[in-house]
Amino acid sequence: MFKPEPFVTRVAFTASDRPEAQDARARLVKRYGEAPEREAQVIIALGGDGFMLETLHKHIPDCPPIYGMNRGSVGFLMNEYSEDDLLERVNAAERALIYPLRMRARDMAGQTHDALAINEVSLLRQTRQTAKLRISIDDKVRLAELFCDGALVATPAGSTAYNLSAHGPIIPLDARVLALTPISAFRPRRWRGALLPHTAKVAFEILEADKRPVSAVADNLEVRDVLSVDVAEDRSIGLTMLFDAGRSLEERVLAEQFSA
């Protein structure tokens, strides 16, 4: 795991393909200079939330702290963009330590796919047929049959993303729980999901997979035609994001619970 240094003077800049992000990178490099990524104490990511996730994934497992500034569409995980006092902001920033989910998916061809997810692992139906899932927690079947469009397991950091859109709960960052949330559950219709301890091992079995094909997605990596999917938090990998003082990720997640 990356060990932070006491005072940040060496930063590297990375930007999404959006013109405004590329322009911002050029101006910031000219103003502050730039260290090679392998020598940087902090990486400045310029883009939206998707680019922040992409940057975190790129640098696993030895990921230095990432300080994002919004030059994209959605900026929940990003700080407000400003070119002034950048090093002062970075050094005064509050740290959010997050742990990813590890997905292991087995497909109909017999192949096994491993991937990490910072926000969520989601299972989604591939055709007009509803998905039919069996869900086990720590090797005990908790839901023998779930007819649905899909289901997901979200981290606290990801609980305000797809999980929230699927009517899942918002989770405080330090709650040490995971959200298990159905997507458009048809039967049992009233099941709204569960909050699980962060140590829980979630296993999905796809029933009638030939008739009801399902894909598994870990953030932005998709595996199609899966037969089973195992999901668990990986505490061996810690990722650090930096947020301006008074605008921590914990504060944003709390405020989101009171938003209209």
Side-chain angles (χ1 to χ4, degrees):
M1 186 183 301
F2 185 89
K3 294 182 179 180
E5 298 183 46
F7 189 81
V8 173
T9 57
R10 302 187 309 278
V11 298
F13 295 93
T14 184
S16 72
D17 292 334
R18 295 173 67 108
E20 57 268 42
Q22 290 293 321
D23 290 345
R25 184 187 187 282
R27 291 194 300 271
L28 289 166
V29 169
K30 182 177 181 180
R31 182 166 178 177
Y32 293 99
E34 182 177 31
E37 284 192 357
R38 66 182 180 277
E39 299 175 12
Q41 296 163 279
V42 169
I43 293 177
I44 311 295
L46 304 165
D49 285 354
F51 187 69
M52 169 61 85
L53 294 177
E54 180 182 323
T55 303
L56 289 165
H57 276 285
K58 176 183 176 182
H59 294 280
I60 291 173
D62 298 316
C63 186
I66 309 293
Y67 179 90
M69 287 199 290
N70 189 18
R71 292 283 84 186
S73 299
V74 180
F76 187 83
L77 298 176
M78 312 301 278
N79 297 289
E80 182 180 347
Y81 180 76
S82 174
E83 297 177 17
D84 297 329
D85 304 318
L86 179 59
L87 292 181
E88 289 79 357
R89 291 172 67 189
V90 168
N91 279 286
E94 300 180 32
R95 294 173 178 263
L97 181 63
I98 60 175
Y99 299 96
L101 300 172
R102 183 170 293 278
M103 176 187 82
R104 173 161 291 182
R106 184 169 63 90
D107 66 22
M108 295 178 69
Q111 294 184 314
T112 300
H113 307 264
D114 286 315
L116 293 173
I118 296 164
N119 269 358
E120 75 277 318
V121 171
S122 54
L123 278 68
L124 304 165
R125 66 184 176 105
Q126 294 179 192
T127 69
R128 67 185 186 281
Q129 294 279 4
T130 59
K132 187 178 181 182
L133 309 177
R134 177 173 294 146
I135 302 176
S136 300
I137 310 297
D138 295 328
D139 298 321
K140 182 174 182 178
V141 175
R142 292 293 182 177
L143 203 54
E145 290 185 349
L146 172 65
F147 288 82
C148 56
D149 279 357
L152 62 86
V153 180
T155 66
S159 67
T160 57
Y162 190 10
N163 174 71
L164 181 58
S165 297
H167 307 290
I170 297 175
I171 305 172
L173 206 62
D174 59 355
R176 297 171 72 88
V177 297
L178 304 173
L180 171 59
T181 303
I183 302 169
S184 299
F186 176 68
R187 191 166 64 235
R189 198 183 300 271
R190 291 191 176 89
W191 188 63
R192 293 292 180 263
L195 287 173
L196 307 174
H198 75 98
T199 55
K201 301 184 188 308
V202 184
F204 297 96
E205 182 183 352
I206 289 72
L207 306 178
E208 302 177 22
D210 289 333
K211 179 182 178 182
R212 306 171 186 275
V214 169
S215 66
V217 182
D219 284 347
N220 58 358
L221 185 140
E222 180 181 21
V223 180
R224 295 182 68 82
D225 300 314
V226 294
L227 290 175
S228 64
V229 179
D230 297 321
V231 182
E233 187 181 70
D234 190 339
R235 284 254 158 182
S236 70
I237 299 173
L239 305 171
T240 301
M241 291 188 290
L242 301 177
F243 295 89
D244 287 332
R247 292 285 296 153
S248 68
L249 186 57
E250 291 92 338
E251 170 59 27
R252 295 176 191 209
V253 169
L254 181 60
E256 190 70 22
Q257 298 181 74
F258 296 90
S259 63

